[in-house]
Amino acid sequence: MSEEARSAGARITEGESYIGKSVVRPQTARLLAGRGVFTDDIKLPRMTHVAFLRSSHAHARIVSIDAGAAKALPGVVAVIAGEEMARVCGGWVGTLAHFKGMKSAKQYPLAIGRATWQGEPVVAVVAESRAVAEDAVARIAVEWDPLPAVTDPETALDPSTPVIHPELGDNLAFELELTSGDVDRAFREADAVYSDTFWMGRHTGVTLEARTILADFDLSEQRLTVYHSFQAPNMMQDILARHLRIPEHNVRVITKDVGGSFGIKVHIYPDEMAACALAVMLGRPVKFVADRFESFLSDIHARDHRVKAEVAVKRDGTILGMKVDDLTGIGPYSVYPRTSAVEGNQTVRLTPCGYKFRDYAASLKVVLQNKTPMCQYRAVGHPIAFAVMEGMVDRVARELQLDPVEVRRKNYITRDMYPYTSPTGYFFERLSHEEALDRLLEISDYPALCAERDTLRSRGIYRGLGLCTFIELTTPGPAFYGVGGARISSQDGCTIKLEPTGKLICMTGVTEQGQGTDTMIAQVVATAMGVPLDDVRVLTGDTMVTPYGGGTWASRGAGIGGEAALLAGKALKENVLKVAAAILACEPMDLDLRRGRIVDAGTGEVRLDLGELGRIAYFRPDTLPKDFQPELAVTRHYVPRHQGFAFTNGIQLSHVEVDVDTGFVRLLKHWAVEDCGRIINPRLVDEQVRGAVVQGIGAALFEHCVYDEQGQLLTGTMGDYLVPMAAEMPEIVVDHVQTPTLFAEGGFKGAGEAGVAGAPGAVLNAVNDALAPFNARVTRQPITPDVILKALDKL
């Protein structure tokens, strides 16, 4: 053993070896042994676990950190603070160039000098087990100098409010003004103007599988392998390469079956970056799993909005124009790399989009505050936009004593108006509001429900019906993030290869988050090729294996990944038929591939089994015509050709009963009709919609990240943060209208977020319908019992 290694003897543990301060792998040790430097036979470095000391303050200066007792604990491998970590992992700023004027401070894996929200990671402890790491964290003494916390978005921009990041000048991260048409004229010509203020409660994803990452750095090859519960592996590969200064081809990110994500696992988290940096620093595998307490404090939050809305209308219910003022507080940083401006931006742009009025004005302010960072979460901005818009539509119907169904029908963008561009610039190829409404009224027997509601009111039972029209932006186009400078792919690829056995291996850039990506891709490939579904194996989530792609977010799996799979399947089928024609001495056009067999295209007679074709192509190509080359693997990429997004639409109906003495809401039944284009797998789509409706109901009635004035999270456990449970959920009836997009051969759009988009607005309107006999109305979500009792003047 070298002198350097001997001098490190006090730190050498079983399975490790040292050169100076570096842990080395067996490959490196053997390489050095061949050069006469090192001769020991060394075992693989053992797994380590990282735990974080997190800030207990919403805003505080870090005066000192005493980690002596933590370092002395047996089993502790390293204790790392912010400045040391920053030398390995550079910071980031979560802004995009196309959001003009947006600003945010630089963020690092561990806080440096100051903590800016309760739960921000400050010190990382790496140990032989998670238990030892947590024990060591408990031994670290931090001296804090508490600073004033900014917790109220309404006062975040006041001159008397402290600026969280003085270098930014104020707490305004982003602002936007939108104007279309002549809004002042619309309000002057109106017969009536109605206004309301809506409050949407901050909530989070609560995924079944918590955020998890395992990083392994091979010193001998300078290669980082990361196993990650994540949605976009190529995005993570790029970011790790740039911030850890490792060549991108030496970074491999593997994201196999993920136990739920809902958008919260498509962002860069400081603790996950820290885990990867620690693996590079130590040369050992480092694992981090967020426990449920950490998740509430560190997973991104969403939906914290105060929206003021005004609508100008005629007496017959025609909407002439609308004004919207949206204020949202996002946390101390804009989240990297997608930014925390997208939710507000989409909220104000989506609000008017179901209806044909052209005069619209919107103002958006996105402010910083000392709370957990907020960013994109399933159906970004949609539930806010449509709760506001549909809440105002029902307000118009109530005030003018009109049928809420007919008010919607009068104001819809009608089938003869497409293609159509909204006042906020969104292009709609073809939506189906009228067809979806008709279908919903039919399957719910809406007139009978109304009659029953009216009869029961005379008996003191207060039931309500609430409609919510929505659209969903899916399948983002080629410029969505790239135009702002983010290296997030809008295209996706699919590689399919025929094995010698006649089976197919399909590799795709979209990922499996539990929504059925594997099944959907396999169905598309099997149909395109003409083989049984069981003959297709799908591989996802591995940057070393799968084609480069954007991953799974914004309901893009079928619309982009499915289209790439369709194109690849058709191309491979064409190649297979050429091989079959070479074997059978006929023309490819005379053959077809059906149920995994080569058949005569005219008669259907089986000519050749696909496994036999594979055997000949791979093992006996000498029997094929001279100069013929079998091509049995193809890759196809797909870039969306539509403008902006492939929009879907639908409508939901909620049926509720309100106990006016306790304020409790009982969900009786829920209907959802949506149009996601051509449906690949009806069962998967139905369950996507149902699950999303449940998530939307959670936002409407239960889920809320509540903070006190000091920025302390009061609902940080499953006992305090209420998620919807099976016992509270009603029967959810799902039906469909199908309007395939003509911009893609498959006609596929997305379906993953429609349920969330419409459920909160439907429940809100149903509750207000139930409260109508009392001339009471609620505009705050979640609609907890105290919200209802206050509206009834009982609190």
Side-chain angles (χ1 to χ4, degrees), residues 446-465 655 769-770 772-773:
Y446 184 78
L449 291 172
C450 291
E452 179 191 52
R453 173 200 62 193
D454 297 342
T455 299
L456 289 173
R457 283 178 180 174
S458 63
R459 294 163 42 190
I461 298 172
Y462 299 98
R463 291 185 174 180
L465 297 165
H655 189 200
D769 186 41

Side-chain angles (χ1 to χ4, degrees), residues 611-659:
E612 177 63 9
L613 182 146
R615 183 191 70 81
I616 294 170
Y618 283 104
F619 307 127
R620 292 301 310 275
D622 60 293
T623 63
L624 298 176
K626 185 179 180 182
D627 297 328
F628 180 82
Q629 293 290 337
E631 297 287 349
L632 297 179
V634 300
T635 298
R636 290 294 183 271
H637 291 264
Y638 177 69
V639 178
R641 297 192 293 271
H642 51 254
Q643 299 179 37
F645 303 91
F647 282 94
T648 71
N649 70 279
I651 186 167
Q652 295 185 32
L653 171 65
S654 180
H655 189 200
V656 307
E657 183 177 307
V658 177
D659 187 325

Side-chain angles (χ1 to χ4, degrees), residues 218-293:
D218 186 336
L219 281 164
S220 66
E221 297 186 355
Q222 294 291 293
R223 180 165 294 164
L224 177 66
T225 302
V226 176
Y227 300 85
H228 200 186
S229 182
F230 200 66
Q231 296 173 236
N234 284 113
M235 184 195 91
M236 191 65 179
Q237 177 192 33
D238 166 72
I239 286 172
L240 288 172
R242 286 190 286 117
H243 290 279
L244 295 176
R245 295 177 284 277
I246 302 171
E248 186 171 322
H249 64 275
N250 276 0
V251 177
R252 181 184 186 186
V253 178
I254 301 170
T255 60
K256 292 300 182 183
D257 293 353
V258 172
S261 54
F262 312 129
I264 74 162
K265 294 177 181 176
V266 77
H267 310 294
I268 297 305
Y269 289 91
D271 46 22
E272 295 178 355
M273 292 295 286
C276 295
L278 288 164
V280 174
M281 296 168 75
L282 302 173
R284 293 181 65 172
V286 177
K287 182 178 182 179
F288 169 65
V289 179
D291 63 31
R292 196 58 71 181
F293 297 105

Side-chain angles (χ1 to χ4, degrees), residues 341-401:
V342 175
E343 182 174 82
N345 180 65
Q346 291 187 178
T347 295
V348 297
R349 291 185 184 277
L350 286 166
T351 297
C353 284
Y355 299 101
K356 60 189 175 187
F357 65 89
R358 303 296 303 172
D359 299 324
Y360 178 72
S363 173
L364 167 68
K365 284 186 171 60
V366 179
V367 299
L368 303 173
Q369 55 181 347
N370 295 114
K371 296 180 182 178
T372 298
M374 208 168 79
C375 202
Q376 289 102 306
Y377 168 53
R378 192 177 191 178
V380 183
H382 295 61
I384 307 153
F386 302 125
V388 170
M389 185 72 250
E390 294 299 287
M392 294 308 296
V393 170
D394 268 27
R395 172 81 187 279
V396 168
R398 181 192 289 195
E399 296 286 351
L400 297 176
Q401 298 184 346

Side-chain angles (χ1 to χ4, degrees), residues 181-209:
D182 190 340
V183 180
D184 292 338
R185 178 186 54 79
F187 275 74
R188 284 195 309 269
E189 295 178 356
D191 293 329
V193 173
Y194 302 110
S195 63
D196 265 318
T197 301
F198 296 82
W199 289 269
M200 309 298 169
R202 170 185 280 248
H203 49 281
T204 187
V206 197
T207 55
L208 184 63
E209 175 189 57

Side-chain angles (χ1 to χ4, degrees), residues 267-341:
H267 310 294
I268 297 305
Y269 289 91
D271 46 22
E272 295 178 355
M273 292 295 286
C276 295
L278 288 164
V280 174
M281 296 168 75
L282 302 173
R284 293 181 65 172
V286 177
K287 182 178 182 179
F288 169 65
V289 179
D291 63 31
R292 196 58 71 181
F293 297 105
E294 288 178 299
S295 293
F296 279 114
L297 290 169
S298 60
D299 290 1
I300 63 102
H301 294 176
R303 316 276 208 248
D304 189 2
H305 288 249
R306 184 276 294 143
V307 183
K308 296 178 181 179
E310 288 183 275
V311 292
V313 298
K314 303 298 279 185
R315 288 187 184 89
D316 65 357
T318 300
I319 301 173
L320 300 179
M322 186 175 193
K323 298 177 184 177
V324 166
D325 177 16
D326 184 10
L327 173 68
T328 178
I330 59 170
Y333 299 98
S334 171
V335 177
Y336 182 67
R338 295 167 188 262
T339 85
S340 299

Side-chain angles (χ1 to χ4, degrees), residues 515-533:
Q515 78 277 45
T517 294
D518 288 6
T519 301
M520 177 272 293
I521 294 291
Q523 281 187 252
V524 172
V525 170
T527 302
M529 284 288 296
V531 302
L533 182 63

